[in-house]
Amino acid sequence: MTASKHPAGAISVLSLDGGGSFAGVLAIALGRLYGPTTEGREILRKFDLAAANSGGSIVLAALLANFSPREIAGFYSNAATVRKMYCPRWCSVFKNTFLRPLFPPYSSTGKRDALAQLLDHRRLQGDRQPSAIPLDQWPSVLGTDLKLLIAAYDYDSERAAFFRSTWRGKGAESERRSRVPLIDAVHASTQAPILYYAKPAVVDGRRYWDGGLAGYNNPVLAAVIEAMSEYPQRAQAVRVLSIGTGAIMHARSADGAPEPFARRASTGLWAQLRKVAGAVLADPPSAATFHAHMALERARLPELPTTSRVVRLSPLIRPWRDRERTWHPPRGLSTTEFTNLTEMAGDTMRRADLALIEKVANLWLDGFVENEPVLIGSSPSFGIGDSTFEQAHAHWRALQG
């Protein structure tokens, strides 16, 4: 068993959600936590385990390739770079029409190549290509015992699959997955189904969809179980930093909220297809993060503590009601901007949309947009968790001792 590298004895875990074009929020948060120009590998050396899914796996891979948070956020603020990461096909002209399910707009092979090029373009002459380094070799590259976990969905076995940097005691299939290059684990984890890519990603002869399809868009629960498995005698020392890409909550029309603050979802075929595809990104409050909290605290529901060893950092974008019972958009945003966010596609490449995502992230850092809790109470109170980014930041510092 490997001892923790931290003076306070904590086993520190980093968990990064998926989120498509919203993944730049992860980098912006890491920049505020550790410094925007801090090298990615220096940040990762502060952790014992890092888990990620989909867009989060791209951010994790970029940290491994030693990009700073500012540089990674720059990927997602640049419309041309975002477009390259998705790699549109000729049929992307049908993206916003009812023909989209018949003609998925993006190229799987092109996406893999584009992500590899992005990760490798800063490589110095004579250095290894970060994208090509197998997962099980990254600890030696980093000079630390950091354990990696990247989530995907095994198309053939119809269950979750995890690409790990360590495989001891986890079976032959896990051993094979630990030896795939970093880019292949990311390729599998980012292969959003049906409305995005026509076929599963093929890695080492097996087929994979995005890990969100297995319920791991927020991989924090898998990260907690992995940490408890790796450090069975020190489960009480596990501390988790879970960073998300944001959630939008509408108010209820029953509470008197008008549109666009309250919305009745359509039940038409196209609307239902979009909901099914969007479920890949869904992780409402009280789901994975709360389950991870319960796993660590071993608490019974009537005895829930108000604090947690899971620190959740993710924007919670929802309207609010003043004392006169008038509804407003989140502070710092206009009603039009709130409406645009609620209608924004997860794969947007529009400059205005990317700028709005960045604006929301900065409003969140500065305390204008709420922070998502571990367990949400009755609006607007919080049951468990931190209501602002700064409170969560202070909570994480306290857990680290």
Side-chain angles (χ1 to χ4, degrees):
M1 182 175 64
T2 305
S4 170
K5 60 176 72 70
H6 309 290
I11 303 298
S12 295
V13 177
L14 175 65
S15 176
L16 300 173
D17 288 17
S21 300
F22 288 73
V25 174
L26 305 171
I28 291 171
L30 287 167
R32 177 63 65 91
L33 293 171
Y34 297 107
T37 61
T38 304
E39 292 183 341
R41 293 179 186 178
E42 182 179 339
I43 292 173
L44 290 176
R45 290 187 184 104
K46 300 178 185 298
F47 293 91
D48 299 280
L49 186 149
N53 180 66
S54 197
S57 75
I58 296 175
V59 174
L60 175 58
L63 292 171
L64 290 166
N66 216 26
F67 289 94
S68 70
R70 178 176 291 169
E71 290 171 320
I72 300 169
F75 299 163
Y76 289 93
S77 64
N78 186 308
T81 302
V82 173
R83 182 179 177 84
K84 286 179 182 177
M85 286 195 283
Y86 283 104
C87 195
R89 301 194 299 155
W90 64 269
C91 52
S92 62
V93 295
F94 301 128
K95 188 171 74 168
N96 296 318
T97 76
F98 70 95
L99 293 173
R100 179 168 178 162
L102 301 177
F103 300 98
Y106 305 124
S107 166
S108 176
T109 302
K111 181 252 291 182
R112 182 191 182 281
D113 293 345
L115 290 175
Q117 184 179 28
L118 184 69
L119 295 175
D120 295 339
H121 84 263
R122 273 186 48 194
R123 178 179 62 98
L124 298 176
Q125 188 173 7
D127 286 352
R128 300 174 69 183
Q129 293 180 323
S131 68
I133 298 175
L135 292 181
D136 64 356
Q137 294 182 22
W138 274 103
S140 62
V141 172
L142 297 172
T144 179
D145 58 354
L146 176 71
K147 295 170 177 58
L148 303 174
L149 179 73
I150 296 176
Y153 175 81
D154 189 310
Y155 179 87
D156 296 297
S157 66
E158 299 180 351
R159 63 194 65 198
F162 298 105
F163 293 86
R164 296 177 169 93
S165 59
T166 179
W167 56 269
R168 185 176 62 253
K170 295 184 175 70
E173 190 62 39
S174 181
E175 179 182 356
R176 288 181 62 188
R177 291 194 187 109
S178 74
R179 293 176 175 168
V180 306
L182 174 65
I183 187 58
D184 285 327
V186 173
H187 180 44
S189 188
T190 56
Q191 194 76 354
I194 304 173
L195 294 184
Y196 302 91
Y197 297 95
K199 297 178 181 179
V202 178
V203 174
D204 195 26
R206 296 191 69 88
R207 296 180 290 180
Y208 298 94
W209 285 127
D210 187 303
L213 205 63
Y216 289 102
N217 187 63
N218 176 352
V220 65
L221 182 57
V224 165
I225 299 304
E226 189 79 0
M228 294 173 74
S229 172
E230 292 288 349
Y231 305 96
Q233 304 304 317
R234 304 189 62 204
Q236 294 302 308
V238 174
R239 308 286 188 268
V240 185
L241 178 62
S242 170
I243 309 180
T245 54
I248 298 174
M249 291 182 64
H250 284 85
R252 300 190 311 163
S253 57
D255 292 331
E259 292 187 351
F261 306 126
R263 184 176 66 181
R264 183 179 178 85
S266 169
T267 55
L269 177 60
W270 177 241
Q272 292 186 66
L273 283 171
R274 288 191 64 180
K275 272 192 171 292
V276 170
V280 171
L281 301 178
D283 177 50
S286 306
T289 314
F290 176 61
H291 295 156
H293 161 82
M294 291 294 288
L296 286 179
E297 298 297 337
R298 301 179 183 178
R300 291 179 294 174
L301 283 173
E303 302 171 356
L304 285 175
T306 57
T307 60
S308 179
R309 286 183 286 150
V310 179
V311 175
R312 178 64 171 168
L313 276 172
S314 186
L316 178 61
I317 306 160
R318 60 176 176 175
W320 61 281
R321 184 169 54 181
D322 64 23
R323 292 181 179 179
E324 283 73 41
R325 304 182 69 80
T326 301
W327 287 91
H328 304 273
R331 291 174 176 84
L333 295 175
S334 68
T335 299
T336 299
E337 288 173 323
F338 176 76
T339 302
N340 289 344
L341 284 165
T342 64
E343 297 176 351
M344 193 179 294
D347 59 340
T348 184
M349 303 168 194
R350 296 178 62 245
R351 288 187 179 88
D353 288 348
L354 299 176
L356 181 54
I357 293 169
E358 186 175 1
K359 177 179 179 178
V360 168
N362 286 311
L363 288 170
W364 168 54
L365 297 188
D366 294 335
F368 294 98
V369 169
E370 293 177 86
N371 184 59
E372 182 183 284
V374 171
L375 174 67
I376 196 166
S378 58
S379 179
S381 66
F382 280 65
I384 303 172
D386 305 289
S387 60
T388 68
F389 182 97
E390 190 50 45
Q391 288 176 5
H393 189 182
H395 185 181
W396 180 243
R397 290 197 303 266
L399 287 177
Q400 294 299 287

